[in-house]
Amino acid sequence: MADSQNSTFKRVLLKISGEALMGDQGYGLHPPTVARIAQEVKSVHDLGVEICMVIGGGNIFRGLAGSAQGMERTTADYMGMLATVMNALAMQSALEELNVFTRVISAIRMDEVAEPYIRRRAVRHLEKKRVCIFAAGTGNPYFTTDTAATLRANEMNCEAIFKGTKVDGVYDKDPKKFADARRYETVSYDECLQKHLGVMDASAIALARDNNLPIIVFSLDEPGGFRGILAGEGTYTRVHG
């Protein structure tokens, strides 16, 4: 196994959307896609990097969408949190198939399927080179999994958040719709907020800015992209102060 000197980071948080797990399906989990992402995580884990993960729940249920259809917002958000637990368990299963020890840590207690969130215990898991998947958001309604990812990254003393998306960085407009879309090499937190660049929601960006936590936006669809960036290569956008 390579040691972490081959990586520019020693501890990171990977944030991916629930939609990333559904492949070409319109809904739910696509096991081959989950397995492919698990392989990407393993390749970085093999560098000796300590990895946290936060996975959204939009492939199963999105609280905001439920609320928009007339469901009471708090109930809808809790349903969305439960969806993230399902995704976390699927990713845990895929990682452990690859012999990567993994812990699902839930902000909502459900002791039969996940550990409760206890910061010191989670840090110890990371020190023992276990992947920690933080599920159920912050445990509170009205907060997105972007905000949960930024919160956990700060609590775990991560050096960066890696936001895996469908495109290889942050663009001034949608590159799938506009051929002249320009990708930023770097962009400031304030510029993301002022221009509504859609990196993360405003609460997450502000929390990252206040704690000087860089956000690396890259394509999760690019094979080897996650490992490449940690080795100092590849195409991405860095959001920082």
Side-chain angles (χ1 to χ4, degrees), residues 1 38 53 62 86 101 114 122 127 148 168 179 191 203 208 214-215 218 227 234:
M1 179 186 291
M53 293 182 73
R62 186 177 292 282
M86 296 171 70
F101 293 112
E127 291 170 350
D168 59 356
E191 201 170 353
S203 299
I215 304 165
F218 72 106
R227 181 186 172 106

Side-chain angles (χ1 to χ4, degrees), residues 22-27 30 33 166:
M22 66 187 185
D24 294 329
Q25 302 173 158
Y27 176 83
H30 183 237
T33 300
K166 294 283 186 186

Side-chain angles (χ1 to χ4, degrees), residues 155-171:
E155 289 179 303
M156 294 297 108
N157 296 318
C158 291
E159 295 165 308
I161 296 175
F162 279 72
K163 175 82 183 278
T165 69
K166 294 283 186 186
V167 291
D168 59 356
V170 180
Y171 285 77

Side-chain angles (χ1 to χ4, degrees), residues 155-234:
E155 289 179 303
M156 294 297 108
N157 296 318
C158 291
E159 295 165 308
I161 296 175
F162 279 72
K163 175 82 183 278
T165 69
K166 294 283 186 186
V167 291
D168 59 356
V170 180
Y171 285 77
D172 57 355
K173 48 192 167 184
D174 189 342
K176 295 185 177 178
K177 295 179 181 175
F178 300 95
D180 62 341
R182 184 174 65 87
R183 185 179 61 81
Y184 295 94
E185 291 284 336
T186 63
V187 63
S188 72
Y189 303 114
D190 288 337
E191 201 170 353
C192 284
L193 293 170
Q194 289 161 7
K195 295 183 177 179
H196 304 286
L197 293 177
V199 177
M200 286 179 159
D201 66 71
S203 299
I205 294 287
L207 185 58
R209 179 191 62 194
D210 293 348
N211 293 279
N212 200 29
L213 180 68
I215 304 165
I216 311 292
V217 183
F218 72 106
S219 173
L220 200 62
D221 291 340
E222 184 68 33
F226 187 25
R227 181 186 172 106
I229 293 167
L230 279 152
E233 304 161 1

Side-chain angles (χ1 to χ4, degrees), residues 81-82 85 89 106-116 135-136:
M81 289 180 221
L82 295 177
V85 177
L89 291 172
S106 173
I108 298 173
R109 288 194 76 106
M110 47 185 82
D111 296 344
E112 286 75 14
V113 297
E115 290 187 9

